[in-house]
Amino acid sequence: MIPKNNRLTLSGIVVKTPIRKVSPSGISHCQFYLEHVSEQIEAELTRQAWCVMPVIASGQHELSYIKKGSNVLVSGFISTHTRRNKTSQLVLHADQIKLLGE
């Protein structure tokens, strides 16, 4: 069997106030948007890289430190979610979130 890798690490700023919910089964969820801006090298040229990635962290107990404006490093896997308007969006499902210096 060929290994299937799905791992993403992204740093950035939380651009909206996180939404915190608890599911009927008692699992906590924290949803927020992470904005990433950096310079990357592609074809030996420097280019600006920018994205806003939706992040969901589920089952993690203490995420109260995540606020709008927080600088964080997030690691997890990506999956497609279908929105209400039937469009698809990649979402980063975080299993590790580290607060970085401001």
Side-chain angles (χ1 to χ4, degrees):
M1 178 180 220
I2 297 172
K4 295 179 178 142
N5 295 317
N6 181 349
R7 197 82 191 145
L8 177 66
T9 300
L10 193 65
S11 63
I13 304 292
V14 177
V15 292
K16 290 186 179 181
T17 301
I19 298 170
R20 293 173 172 84
K21 298 179 181 178
V22 177
S23 71
S25 59
I27 297 172
S28 62
H29 301 282
C30 180
Q31 302 172 341
F32 59 92
Y33 286 87
L34 184 68
E35 181 180 41
H36 169 87
V37 178
S38 64
E39 286 187 355
Q40 301 294 321
I41 304 296
E42 181 178 41
E44 299 180 21
L45 299 171
T46 302
R47 68 171 291 170
Q48 190 79 5
W50 173 81
C51 70
V52 175
M53 176 70 72
V55 177
I56 296 176
S58 298
Q60 299 184 18
H61 293 72
E62 183 53 48
L63 293 176
S64 62
Y65 61 88
I66 300 173
K67 297 175 176 31
K68 181 179 178 182
S70 294
N71 188 9
V72 295
L73 177 68
V74 180
S75 296
F77 67 91
I78 55 173
S79 185
T80 300
H81 286 216
T82 303
R83 297 174 173 176
R84 290 185 181 123
N85 65 2
K86 306 294 186 212
T87 60
S88 295
Q89 181 176 39
L90 282 180
V91 176
L92 174 54
H93 290 259
D95 55 29
Q96 294 178 355
I97 301 174
K98 179 180 178 185
L99 190 61
L100 301 174
E102 301 297 321

Short mmCIF file of all heavy atoms in Angstrom, two decimals, residues 33-74:
data_model
loop_
_atom_site.label_atom_id
_atom_site.label_comp_id
_atom_site.label_asym_id
_atom_site.label_seq_id
_atom_site.Cartn_x
_atom_site.Cartn_y
_atom_site.Cartn_z
N TYR A 33 -10.18 31.94 11.22
CA TYR A 33 -9.53 32.14 9.93
C TYR A 33 -8.11 32.62 10.17
O TYR A 33 -7.88 33.54 10.95
CB TYR A 33 -10.29 33.17 9.08
CG TYR A 33 -11.57 32.62 8.53
CD1 TYR A 33 -12.75 32.67 9.26
CD2 TYR A 33 -11.59 32.01 7.28
CE1 TYR A 33 -13.92 32.14 8.76
CE2 TYR A 33 -12.77 31.48 6.76
CZ TYR A 33 -13.92 31.55 7.51
OH TYR A 33 -15.08 31.02 7.01
N LEU A 34 -7.17 31.97 9.48
CA LEU A 34 -5.75 32.26 9.61
C LEU A 34 -5.26 32.91 8.32
O LEU A 34 -5.41 32.34 7.24
CB LEU A 34 -4.98 30.96 9.87
CG LEU A 34 -3.50 31.08 10.14
CD1 LEU A 34 -3.25 31.77 11.48
CD2 LEU A 34 -2.85 29.71 10.14
N GLU A 35 -4.68 34.12 8.44
CA GLU A 35 -4.11 34.79 7.27
C GLU A 35 -2.60 34.61 7.28
O GLU A 35 -1.93 34.91 8.27
CB GLU A 35 -4.45 36.29 7.28
CG GLU A 35 -3.87 37.00 6.07
CD GLU A 35 -4.20 38.48 6.05
OE1 GLU A 35 -4.15 39.12 7.13
OE2 GLU A 35 -4.51 38.99 4.98
N HIS A 36 -2.09 34.11 6.17
CA HIS A 36 -0.65 33.86 6.01
C HIS A 36 -0.12 34.77 4.90
O HIS A 36 -0.71 34.84 3.83
CB HIS A 36 -0.40 32.39 5.63
CG HIS A 36 1.00 32.14 5.21
ND1 HIS A 36 2.00 31.85 6.11
CD2 HIS A 36 1.59 32.17 3.99
CE1 HIS A 36 3.14 31.70 5.44
NE2 HIS A 36 2.91 31.89 4.16
N VAL A 37 1.00 35.45 5.18
CA VAL A 37 1.68 36.28 4.18
C VAL A 37 3.17 35.97 4.30
O VAL A 37 3.72 35.99 5.40
CB VAL A 37 1.44 37.79 4.41
CG1 VAL A 37 2.20 38.61 3.39
CG2 VAL A 37 -0.04 38.11 4.38
N SER A 38 3.81 35.67 3.16
CA SER A 38 5.25 35.41 3.19
C SER A 38 5.83 35.62 1.80
O SER A 38 5.10 35.79 0.82
CB SER A 38 5.54 33.98 3.65
OG SER A 38 5.03 33.04 2.73
N GLU A 39 7.15 35.61 1.73
CA GLU A 39 7.85 35.59 0.44
C GLU A 39 8.40 34.19 0.24
O GLU A 39 9.00 33.62 1.15
CB GLU A 39 8.98 36.62 0.42
CG GLU A 39 8.51 38.03 0.30
CD GLU A 39 9.65 39.02 0.10
OE1 GLU A 39 10.83 38.61 0.15
OE2 GLU A 39 9.35 40.20 -0.12
N GLN A 40 8.18 33.65 -0.95
CA GLN A 40 8.63 32.30 -1.29
C GLN A 40 9.45 32.36 -2.58
O GLN A 40 9.30 33.30 -3.37
CB GLN A 40 7.44 31.36 -1.48
CG GLN A 40 6.54 31.25 -0.26
CD GLN A 40 7.23 30.59 0.91
OE1 GLN A 40 7.99 29.64 0.76
NE2 GLN A 40 6.98 31.12 2.10
N ILE A 41 10.30 31.36 -2.76
CA ILE A 41 11.09 31.28 -3.98
C ILE A 41 10.44 30.26 -4.92
O ILE A 41 10.17 29.12 -4.51
CB ILE A 41 12.55 30.84 -3.70
CG1 ILE A 41 13.21 31.80 -2.70
CG2 ILE A 41 13.35 30.73 -4.99
CD1 ILE A 41 13.37 33.22 -3.19
N GLU A 42 10.18 30.68 -6.14
CA GLU A 42 9.60 29.80 -7.16
C GLU A 42 10.31 30.09 -8.47
O GLU A 42 10.36 31.26 -8.89
CB GLU A 42 8.10 30.04 -7.29
CG GLU A 42 7.44 29.14 -8.31
CD GLU A 42 5.94 29.36 -8.38
OE1 GLU A 42 5.50 30.53 -8.33
OE2 GLU A 42 5.23 28.36 -8.49
N ALA A 43 10.85 29.07 -9.12
CA ALA A 43 11.58 29.22 -10.37
C ALA A 43 12.69 30.28 -10.23
O ALA A 43 12.89 31.12 -11.09
CB ALA A 43 10.64 29.58 -11.52
N GLU A 44 13.36 30.22 -9.08
CA GLU A 44 14.47 31.12 -8.75
C GLU A 44 14.07 32.59 -8.65
O GLU A 44 14.91 33.48 -8.71
CB GLU A 44 15.62 30.94 -9.75
CG GLU A 44 16.18 29.52 -9.73
CD GLU A 44 17.32 29.33 -10.71
OE1 GLU A 44 17.95 30.32 -11.12
OE2 GLU A 44 17.58 28.17 -11.04
N LEU A 45 12.79 32.86 -8.50
CA LEU A 45 12.29 34.21 -8.33
C LEU A 45 11.53 34.32 -7.02
O LEU A 45 10.89 33.36 -6.57
CB LEU A 45 11.36 34.61 -9.48
CG LEU A 45 11.98 34.61 -10.87
CD1 LEU A 45 10.90 34.80 -11.93
CD2 LEU A 45 13.03 35.69 -10.99
N THR A 46 11.60 35.49 -6.40
CA THR A 46 10.86 35.73 -5.16
C THR A 46 9.44 36.15 -5.52
O THR A 46 9.24 36.97 -6.40
CB THR A 46 11.53 36.85 -4.34
OG1 THR A 46 12.86 36.44 -4.06
CG2 THR A 46 10.80 37.08 -3.03
N ARG A 47 8.48 35.55 -4.84
CA ARG A 47 7.09 35.95 -5.06
C ARG A 47 6.37 36.05 -3.71
O ARG A 47 6.75 35.42 -2.75
CB ARG A 47 6.37 34.99 -5.99
CG ARG A 47 6.17 33.60 -5.41
CD ARG A 47 5.30 32.73 -6.25
NE ARG A 47 3.94 33.25 -6.20
CZ ARG A 47 2.96 32.83 -6.98
NH1 ARG A 47 3.19 31.92 -7.88
NH2 ARG A 47 1.76 33.32 -6.86
N GLN A 48 5.34 36.86 -3.69
CA GLN A 48 4.53 37.03 -2.50
C GLN A 48 3.54 35.88 -2.42
O GLN A 48 2.87 35.57 -3.41
CB GLN A 48 3.78 38.37 -2.58
CG GLN A 48 3.09 38.78 -1.32
CD GLN A 48 4.03 39.40 -0.29
OE1 GLN A 48 5.20 39.61 -0.53
NE2 GLN A 48 3.51 39.67 0.87
N ALA A 49 3.46 35.24 -1.27
CA ALA A 49 2.47 34.18 -1.03
C ALA A 49 1.47 34.70 -0.01
O ALA A 49 1.86 35.27 1.02
CB ALA A 49 3.15 32.92 -0.52
N TRP A 50 0.19 34.50 -0.28
CA TRP A 50 -0.86 34.99 0.61
C TRP A 50 -2.03 34.04 0.56
O TRP A 50 -2.40 33.55 -0.51
CB TRP A 50 -1.31 36.39 0.19
CG TRP A 50 -2.49 36.89 0.96
CD1 TRP A 50 -2.48 37.45 2.21
CD2 TRP A 50 -3.86 36.86 0.56
NE1 TRP A 50 -3.75 37.78 2.60
CE2 TRP A 50 -4.63 37.43 1.59
CE3 TRP A 50 -4.52 36.41 -0.57
CZ2 TRP A 50 -6.01 37.55 1.53
CZ3 TRP A 50 -5.90 36.53 -0.63
CH2 TRP A 50 -6.62 37.10 0.41
N CYS A 51 -2.63 33.76 1.70
CA CYS A 51 -3.86 32.99 1.74
C CYS A 51 -4.58 33.24 3.05
O CYS A 51 -3.98 33.67 4.04
CB CYS A 51 -3.61 31.48 1.56
SG CYS A 51 -2.78 30.68 2.94
N VAL A 52 -5.88 33.01 3.05
CA VAL A 52 -6.69 32.98 4.26
C VAL A 52 -7.27 31.58 4.34
O VAL A 52 -7.98 31.15 3.43
CB VAL A 52 -7.80 34.05 4.24
CG1 VAL A 52 -8.68 33.91 5.48
CG2 VAL A 52 -7.20 35.44 4.18
N MET A 53 -6.90 30.86 5.38
CA MET A 53 -7.28 29.46 5.53
C MET A 53 -8.21 29.29 6.72
O MET A 53 -7.87 29.68 7.84
CB MET A 53 -6.02 28.61 5.75
CG MET A 53 -6.26 27.15 6.01
SD MET A 53 -6.85 26.22 4.58
CE MET A 53 -5.37 26.16 3.59
N PRO A 54 -9.40 28.70 6.50
CA PRO A 54 -10.24 28.38 7.64
C PRO A 54 -9.63 27.22 8.43
O PRO A 54 -9.09 26.29 7.84
CB PRO A 54 -11.57 27.98 7.01
CG PRO A 54 -11.32 27.77 5.57
CD PRO A 54 -10.01 28.38 5.23
N VAL A 55 -9.70 27.33 9.75
CA VAL A 55 -9.12 26.33 10.64
C VAL A 55 -10.20 25.85 11.61
O VAL A 55 -10.98 26.65 12.11
CB VAL A 55 -7.94 26.93 11.45
CG1 VAL A 55 -7.37 25.91 12.43
CG2 VAL A 55 -6.86 27.45 10.52
N ILE A 56 -10.22 24.54 11.84
CA ILE A 56 -11.10 23.96 12.85
C ILE A 56 -10.22 23.12 13.79
O ILE A 56 -9.45 22.28 13.33
CB ILE A 56 -12.18 23.06 12.23
CG1 ILE A 56 -13.12 23.87 11.35
CG2 ILE A 56 -12.97 22.33 13.33
CD1 ILE A 56 -14.16 23.05 10.62
N ALA A 57 -10.36 23.38 15.08
CA ALA A 57 -9.68 22.56 16.10
C ALA A 57 -10.76 21.90 16.94
O ALA A 57 -11.58 22.60 17.54
CB ALA A 57 -8.78 23.43 16.96
N SER A 58 -10.79 20.59 16.94
CA SER A 58 -11.84 19.85 17.66
C SER A 58 -11.24 19.00 18.76
O SER A 58 -10.18 18.39 18.58
CB SER A 58 -12.61 18.95 16.70
OG SER A 58 -13.25 19.72 15.71
N GLY A 59 -11.92 18.99 19.90
CA GLY A 59 -11.51 18.13 21.00
C GLY A 59 -10.38 18.65 21.83
O GLY A 59 -9.96 18.01 22.78
N GLN A 60 -9.86 19.83 21.50
CA GLN A 60 -8.78 20.40 22.29
C GLN A 60 -9.40 21.23 23.41
O GLN A 60 -10.24 22.07 23.15
CB GLN A 60 -7.85 21.23 21.42
CG GLN A 60 -7.20 20.39 20.33
CD GLN A 60 -6.19 21.18 19.52
OE1 GLN A 60 -5.74 22.22 19.94
NE2 GLN A 60 -5.83 20.66 18.38
N HIS A 61 -8.96 21.00 24.62
CA HIS A 61 -9.64 21.56 25.78
C HIS A 61 -9.40 23.06 25.97
O HIS A 61 -10.33 23.81 26.16
CB HIS A 61 -9.23 20.80 27.04
CG HIS A 61 -9.72 19.40 27.04
ND1 HIS A 61 -9.20 18.43 26.23
CD2 HIS A 61 -10.72 18.82 27.71
CE1 HIS A 61 -9.85 17.29 26.42
NE2 HIS A 61 -10.78 17.50 27.32
N GLU A 62 -8.17 23.49 25.92
CA GLU A 62 -7.88 24.88 26.28
C GLU A 62 -7.38 25.65 25.06
O GLU A 62 -6.22 25.56 24.70
CB GLU A 62 -6.83 24.92 27.39
CG GLU A 62 -6.51 26.30 27.89
CD GLU A 62 -7.74 27.10 28.31
OE1 GLU A 62 -8.58 26.56 29.04
OE2 GLU A 62 -7.84 28.25 27.88
N LEU A 63 -8.27 26.38 24.43
CA LEU A 63 -7.89 27.20 23.28
C LEU A 63 -8.31 28.65 23.50
O LEU A 63 -8.41 29.42 22.56
CB LEU A 63 -8.52 26.66 22.00
CG LEU A 63 -8.01 25.30 21.53
CD1 LEU A 63 -8.77 24.82 20.31
CD2 LEU A 63 -6.52 25.34 21.24
N SER A 64 -8.53 29.03 24.75
CA SER A 64 -8.97 30.39 25.04
C SER A 64 -7.91 31.43 24.69
O SER A 64 -8.22 32.61 24.55
CB SER A 64 -9.39 30.52 26.50
OG SER A 64 -8.29 30.27 27.35
N TYR A 65 -6.65 31.01 24.55
CA TYR A 65 -5.57 31.93 24.21
C TYR A 65 -5.65 32.37 22.75
O TYR A 65 -4.99 33.33 22.36
CB TYR A 65 -4.20 31.32 24.51
CG TYR A 65 -3.91 30.06 23.72
CD1 TYR A 65 -3.34 30.12 22.46
CD2 TYR A 65 -4.23 28.80 24.24
CE1 TYR A 65 -3.06 28.97 21.73
CE2 TYR A 65 -3.96 27.66 23.52
CZ TYR A 65 -3.38 27.74 22.27
OH TYR A 65 -3.13 26.60 21.55
N ILE A 66 -6.43 31.72 21.93
CA ILE A 66 -6.56 32.10 20.53
C ILE A 66 -7.59 33.22 20.43
O ILE A 66 -8.76 33.04 20.76
CB ILE A 66 -6.98 30.90 19.66
CG1 ILE A 66 -5.95 29.80 19.75
CG2 ILE A 66 -7.18 31.34 18.21
CD1 ILE A 66 -6.37 28.53 19.06
N LYS A 67 -7.12 34.38 19.96
CA LYS A 67 -7.98 35.54 19.84
C LYS A 67 -7.70 36.21 18.49
O LYS A 67 -6.69 35.93 17.85
CB LYS A 67 -7.67 36.55 20.95
CG LYS A 67 -7.96 36.03 22.35
CD LYS A 67 -7.53 37.04 23.39
CE LYS A 67 -7.85 36.68 24.80
NZ LYS A 67 -7.90 35.36 25.22
N LYS A 68 -8.60 37.07 18.07
CA LYS A 68 -8.35 37.86 16.87
C LYS A 68 -7.04 38.62 17.07
O LYS A 68 -6.81 39.21 18.12
CB LYS A 68 -9.50 38.83 16.63
CG LYS A 68 -9.32 39.67 15.39
CD LYS A 68 -10.50 40.58 15.17
CE LYS A 68 -10.26 41.45 13.95
NZ LYS A 68 -11.37 42.39 13.72
N GLY A 69 -6.14 38.53 16.10
CA GLY A 69 -4.84 39.19 16.20
C GLY A 69 -3.72 38.29 16.70
O GLY A 69 -2.55 38.68 16.63
N SER A 70 -4.04 37.10 17.21
CA SER A 70 -3.01 36.17 17.69
C SER A 70 -2.15 35.69 16.53
O SER A 70 -2.65 35.41 15.43
CB SER A 70 -3.64 34.94 18.35
OG SER A 70 -4.31 35.28 19.53
N ASN A 71 -0.86 35.58 16.78
CA ASN A 71 0.09 35.05 15.81
C ASN A 71 0.32 33.58 16.18
O ASN A 71 0.83 33.31 17.27
CB ASN A 71 1.39 35.86 15.87
CG ASN A 71 2.37 35.51 14.77
OD1 ASN A 71 2.06 34.77 13.84
ND2 ASN A 71 3.56 36.05 14.89
N VAL A 72 -0.08 32.64 15.31
CA VAL A 72 -0.04 31.22 15.66
C VAL A 72 0.61 30.38 14.57
O VAL A 72 0.68 30.77 13.40
CB VAL A 72 -1.46 30.67 15.95
CG1 VAL A 72 -2.05 31.32 17.18
CG2 VAL A 72 -2.37 30.85 14.76
N LEU A 73 1.08 29.21 14.97
CA LEU A 73 1.58 28.18 14.07
C LEU A 73 0.62 27.00 14.22
O LEU A 73 0.42 26.49 15.32
CB LEU A 73 3.00 27.76 14.46
CG LEU A 73 3.63 26.63 13.65
CD1 LEU A 73 3.89 27.09 12.21
CD2 LEU A 73 4.93 26.18 14.30
N VAL A 74 0.01 26.60 13.11
CA VAL A 74 -1.01 25.55 13.13
C VAL A 74 -0.55 24.38 12.29
O VAL A 74 -0.05 24.56 11.18
CB VAL A 74 -2.35 26.09 12.57
CG1 VAL A 74 -3.42 25.02 12.59
CG2 VAL A 74 -2.80 27.32 13.33
#
